[in-house]
Amino acid sequence: MDREPEGRAGEDAAAPTSAGEAAKALADEWAEEAPPPAGPVANLGACVVTAGVGVLGAVIAVGLGLGTPTQPGAGLWPLAISVAVVVLSLAQVVVGRRGGDGEKFSRYSWLSLVGLATLLGLVALLPVIGFEIPALLLSLVWMKFLGGESWRSAVLYSVLVVGALYGVFVGALGTNVPHLF
């Protein structure tokens, strides 16, 4: 009984017949909808900015104190991450010339700044009211407004994320994170 599934009769004969063809068709569709490339000057500018952020982070991390490998200070891991940011930024200067161009800024680019502003809001509220409410609000804003999830999904995922964070950091690890409960 080799019957064709319902809804497939009358489909276009030019439809992709293999997974590879379907993937190529989807990639072509995305390429048509993508914003124009930013160009090499914008790529270089992005590399310089991220390298500068990494250098600034390294300077601040050293100021926090590095400690020793057996007794790490507050700045050890921020220093490691900052060094990685600088190395990757400088590598992008070299490799990025052969890679694809980044996208030009568009109205969707501003969503990154909204994400950063809400993250800073979390940091500001954390010592005042604990992490549960700010983390829930942050997750909700990111899922609903930045991620385009439905309200039901955004609320459900946000509650699950905050519950998981609470379980790991407060319950399992016993960290000294400001919290309400």
Side-chain angles (χ1 to χ4, degrees):
M1 289 198 135
D2 288 347
R3 289 188 342 158
E4 203 168 5
E6 283 186 37
R8 292 191 55 108
E11 271 190 19
D12 190 10
T17 56
S18 72
E21 290 175 5
K24 181 167 176 15
L26 184 59
D28 290 343
E29 182 181 329
W30 285 346
E32 290 173 10
E33 296 173 4
V41 174
N43 287 345
L44 179 62
C47 294
V48 168
V49 167
T50 55
V53 168
V55 168
L56 178 64
V59 169
I60 292 171
V62 169
L64 291 173
L66 301 179
T68 65
T70 56
Q71 297 261 321
L76 184 63
W77 288 111
L79 176 67
I81 292 170
S82 297
V83 168
V85 167
V86 170
V87 168
L88 291 172
S89 296
L90 295 176
Q92 182 62 25
V93 169
V94 176
V95 176
R97 294 178 186 199
R98 292 185 305 242
D101 284 332
E103 297 175 356
K104 277 191 174 178
F105 279 97
S106 67
R107 66 184 183 99
Y108 295 111
S109 303
W110 292 105
L111 294 177
S112 300
L113 291 178
V114 171
L116 177 63
T118 55
L119 184 61
L120 293 175
L122 168 91
V123 170
L125 289 175
L126 191 77
V128 178
I129 59 175
F131 90 91
E132 294 94 340
I133 294 171
L136 185 66
L137 292 173
L138 176 77
S139 182
L140 188 64
V141 166
W142 282 11
M143 299 244 185
K144 175 63 185 158
F145 300 108
L146 302 182
E149 295 287 338
S150 69
W151 277 107
R152 187 173 84 183
S153 299
V155 169
L156 175 67
Y157 296 148
S158 297
V159 168
L160 290 173
V161 164
V162 172
L165 290 172
Y166 184 89
V168 168
F169 290 106
V170 175
L173 297 175
T175 58
N176 193 12
V177 176
H179 57 90
L180 294 175
F181 308 107

